[in-house]
């Protein structure tokens, strides 16, 4: 008899559980509808005052046997789950991500195509003068490299370091590239200079220090030129992809992702080339991925194995700094290859065409 009563009560609990679940699911559906309206009208997802008011009404209506505090705890948990549901609904499938279903992007520029055979981008850290660019430009052309890099606007960690030649640097780059049949990759550091840099460059570079500069990302996205986006040295892969998404949302999906090393505890390299990021970026995004071995290593004796590792992980190009007289370079003197070293580097990595 006692057993039958217990079974009956247990059966009753099971039915109540299902009813509660049914109610929770209905509540979840209403929460999703609320979220749609909030998103449309720009209303914040989480409104603590409203939660507080609901809790007060619930405790006022509480007839027991649960204590008011228990009722508050239970409903706080329901509210937390509801906010999580709203936030999950907000997360969009990234345009630059593979999950969007779009094709892998191929970006043709200056006679090469990112996303096909490995592309080389080479040149000095900073534009210094015509003779420097002429020497590098001629060597690039001789070795079949089509993309000349060089900074006219240098974002330097120290305000006392060489900041670049600015507009004059852009002109020198453009002229040297014309003379040697090359295309220009150069960094833009300021929203006010995007149009000017876009007039002189074939690819706009956004540097590691500016990966989180969302205004710049938007502006660069509207400039109509392919963008080489460098990963911030403490940016997660997700943040890196969001930065690329900013550019894509401004109307330009032609973004090349550049892994250039992240900051770790290691002191023997300037940064640590994150090879896993290369593999993950290839797996998660539709964009071409390249590695900048010079800024990753901060030294030149391990550039060949780093380039090989990057390519083996799926990188579709390599950036490397080259200077006719690295010892006299006005920035990054320790990591730039001279012209002969560059030739040996390309041969060793198998990138000579
Ligand atoms: C550069 O490529 O010139 C440069 C400054 O690199 P990063 O932004 O990766 O430091
Ligand atoms: Mn440099």
């Amino acid at each position: 008899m006692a057993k039958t009563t217990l079974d009956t009560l247990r059966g009753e609990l099971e039915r109540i559980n299902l009813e509660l679940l049914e109610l929770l699911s209905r509540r979840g559906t209403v929460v999703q509808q609320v979220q749609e309206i909030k998103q449309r009208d720009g209303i914040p997802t989480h409104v603590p005052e409203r939660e507080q008011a609901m809790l007060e009404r619930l405790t006022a209506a509480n007839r027991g046997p649960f204590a008011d505090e228990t009722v508050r705890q239970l409903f706080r948990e329901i509210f937390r789950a509801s906010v999580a549901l709203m936030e999950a609904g907000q997360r969009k499938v990234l345009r630059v991500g593979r999950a969007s279903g779009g094709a892998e992007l191929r970006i043709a520029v200056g006679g090469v195509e990112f996303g096909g055979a490995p592309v080389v981008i080479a040149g000095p850290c900073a534009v210094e003068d015509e003779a420097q660019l002429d020497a590098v430009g001629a060597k690039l052309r001789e070795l079949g490299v089509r993309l000349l890099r060089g900074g006219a606007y240098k974002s330097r960690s120290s305000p006392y370091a060489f900041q670049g030649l600015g507009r004059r640097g852009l002109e020198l780059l453009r002229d040297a590239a014309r003379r040697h049949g090359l295309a220009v990759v150069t960094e833009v550091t300021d929203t006010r200079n995007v149009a000017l840099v876009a007039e002189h460059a074939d690819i706009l570079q956004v540097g590691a220090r500016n990966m989180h500069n969302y205004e710049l990302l938007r502006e660069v996205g509207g400039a109509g030129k392919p963008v080489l986006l460098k990963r911030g040295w403490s940016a997660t892969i997700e943040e890196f992809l969001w930065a690329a998404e900013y550019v894509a949302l401004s109307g330009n999906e032609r973004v090349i992702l550049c892994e250039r090393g992240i900051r770790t505890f290691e002191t023997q390299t300037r940064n640590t080339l994150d090879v896993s990021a290369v593999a993950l970026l290839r797996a998660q995004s539709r964009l071409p991925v390249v590695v900048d071995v010079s800024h990753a290593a901060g030294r030149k004796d391990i550039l060949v194995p780093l380039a090989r590792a990057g390519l083996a992980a799926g990188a579709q190009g390599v950036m490397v700094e080259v200077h006719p007289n690295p010892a006299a370079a006005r920035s990054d003197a320790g990591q730039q290859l001279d012209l002969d070293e560059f030739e040996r580097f390309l041969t060793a990595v198998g990138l000579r065409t």
Side-chain angles (χ1 to χ4, degrees), residues 125-126 149 154 270 295 321 331-332 335-336:
C125 179
R149 62 146 286 147
K154 294 301 299 175
R270 182 172 170 181
H295 290 93
E321 286 189 334
S331 56
D332 288 350
Q335 72 191 31
Q336 304 202 56

Side-chain angles (χ1 to χ4, degrees), residues 198-276:
E199 266 172 44
H200 293 79
D202 300 285
I203 298 180
L204 300 177
Q205 179 172 321
V206 174
R209 289 160 191 76
N210 272 316
M211 190 212 86
H212 292 285
N213 184 342
Y214 303 119
E215 284 313 310
L216 184 63
L217 295 175
R218 283 201 190 95
E219 199 70 24
V220 155
K225 291 271 166 92
V227 175
L228 182 97
L229 177 63
K230 301 191 86 176
R231 180 184 182 189
W233 54 70
S234 54
T236 63
I237 292 167
E238 187 177 43
E239 288 164 346
F240 190 21
L241 289 174
W242 282 338
E245 187 80 355
Y246 267 96
V247 181
L249 283 175
S250 307
N252 183 7
E253 288 195 343
R254 291 184 300 159
V255 182
I256 301 144
L257 300 172
C258 180
E259 158 58 36
R260 47 77 74 205
I262 52 174
R263 187 168 278 183
T264 68
F265 50 80
E266 185 52 67
T267 55
Q268 295 196 33
T269 47
R270 182 172 170 181
N271 294 284
T272 297
L273 181 71
D274 186 359
V275 178
S276 346

